[in-house]
Amino acid sequence: MKTLIIRSISGLVYVALLVCPIFFKLPGFYVAVFSLIALLSLREFALLVNLNRKRWLRTILDCLAGAYLFMGHLLYCTDTMGIEVFFPYLFYLLYTLIRNIYSDREQMVRDTSLTFMGQAYVVLPLLCANLIAFGPHTTSFLDMRVGLLLTVFVLIWVNDTFAFLSGLSFGRRKLFPSVSPKKTWEGFLGGVLASMIAATLIGRFLIEGGGGSNFLMWPLLGLIVSATSTWGDLFESNLKRLAGVKDSGNLIPGHGGMLDRIDSALFALPAAFFVYTVFIP
């Protein structure tokens, strides 16, 4: 019971920190929360793949670069700054390529590849949160498309909850036993169905104009977010299995690390952005 209480409280705190800056359109809070998510997740990724184990200053630089890219992309999306905001990040990429010429030459390909993989795996999907929230006609933070971005996170949580409940009640056939032994096909299908229903209800009653010409978008969004969320979870589970650990960290009591919390979103956000781009002009 004590573990359940701790897990519930820490989960609610995480959800509140994620939802509040989006719902109330708080730019400073939004940048701080998502930049911190990028920074902490990159650190945990480096630990999982044993990157820069003896050169922790490199890991700090990689984490700061990822956080900067998120912040710079937000400034660009809201027309606060032009393309010059990306110049420091381009310098970081060039520096990363050059630095291994002068050290660790035998590990140059491995270390450089893992460094860029971390940026692509963690930061680029988070940029899709900006792209979803700030469409092509956005001119300020106040124009943020709150409903579209929050819907993605809500569907991820709905999928996780009902996949767990369905798997617990009806689970028989293993989904991917070599990576995640507890996941079942019954749980997966329960999560898909719940996500499609939730997306349809959200689009119909909570999103302005959602019941119009884009009504087919919502069940499709639920299906795609559910499927990609599961793949995101499986991908991170495989990273942890290869590293021989249960969690990516111990930052969030009862939940593990930051990467454990956002693994589903790292696959679902790009997929949701694609769906929104196709259906919403």
Side-chain angles (χ1 to χ4, degrees):
M1 181 60 69
K2 182 180 179 181
T3 302
L4 179 61
I5 292 174
I6 293 174
R7 180 180 173 86
S8 299
I9 293 174
S10 60
L12 287 173
V13 171
Y14 166 77
V15 169
L17 287 174
L18 196 64
V19 169
C20 285
I22 300 173
F23 186 79
F24 294 107
K25 299 183 179 181
L26 305 173
F29 196 10
Y30 177 85
V31 171
V33 167
F34 278 87
S35 296
L36 186 61
I37 288 175
L39 188 149
L40 294 173
S41 299
L42 283 170
R43 175 183 175 274
E44 291 175 4
F45 173 81
L47 293 174
L48 285 178
V49 299
N50 198 26
L51 177 64
N52 298 327
R53 183 172 59 87
K54 297 180 180 179
R55 299 178 181 273
W56 56 272
L57 286 175
R58 289 186 178 182
T59 299
I60 292 177
L61 177 60
D62 295 340
C63 294
L64 290 176
Y68 175 83
L69 180 58
F70 180 85
M71 179 185 67
H73 185 253
L74 174 64
L75 294 174
Y76 181 76
C77 286
T78 54
D79 285 341
T80 306
M81 291 188 67
I83 198 169
E84 67 275 5
V85 74
F86 297 110
F87 289 171
Y89 188 79
L90 293 176
F91 177 80
Y92 155 77
L93 295 179
L94 181 61
Y95 165 75
T96 301
L97 291 171
I98 293 174
R99 72 185 180 191
N100 286 332
I101 299 176
Y102 296 94
S103 64
D104 303 328
R105 280 174 288 183
E106 293 182 357
Q107 297 293 322
M108 182 180 69
V109 174
R110 175 191 179 276
D111 289 353
T112 305
S113 299
L114 287 175
T115 299
F116 289 162
M117 177 185 173
Q119 299 289 315
Y121 171 49
V122 173
V123 186
L124 292 185
L126 291 179
L127 299 188
C128 289
N130 290 335
L131 294 174
I132 291 171
F134 305 99
H137 306 297
T138 301
T139 56
S140 75
F141 201 89
L142 295 177
D143 297 328
M144 185 178 190
R145 300 187 296 184
V146 171
L148 296 185
L149 182 54
L150 281 181
T151 295
V152 181
F153 288 107
V154 169
L155 293 180
I156 291 171
W157 298 329
V158 167
N159 176 70
D160 288 346
T161 301
F162 282 89
F164 172 76
L165 294 175
S166 300
L168 189 65
S169 302
F170 309 108
R172 296 293 184 273
R173 302 170 184 82
K174 300 297 183 182
L175 178 65
F176 209 141
S178 62
V179 174
S180 186
K182 293 183 179 180
K183 280 186 168 49
T184 63
W185 278 103
E186 291 81 2
F188 170 71
L189 293 175
V192 167
L193 181 60
S195 298
M196 292 178 69
I197 293 173
T200 302
L201 293 176
I202 290 172
R204 179 65 178 85
F205 297 107
L206 298 181
I207 304 296
E208 184 179 356
S213 59
N214 295 330
F215 71 95
L216 289 178
M217 177 186 77
W218 299 106
L220 178 62
L221 178 69
L223 170 64
I224 290 178
V225 167
S226 178
T228 52
S229 294
T230 303
W231 280 325
D233 185 81
L234 289 172
F235 184 87
E236 199 236 354
S237 294
N238 197 43
L239 287 179
K240 292 186 292 186
R241 182 169 290 273
L242 293 173
V245 297
K246 181 179 182 293
D247 298 314
S248 65
N250 54 9
L251 177 68
I252 307 174
H255 293 271
M258 182 58 69
L259 203 54
D260 292 319
R261 293 304 307 160
I262 68 161
D263 54 359
S264 297
L266 295 180
F267 278 49
L269 283 169
F273 170 64
F274 174 77
V275 174
Y276 286 143
T277 301
V278 170
F279 283 91
I280 298 178

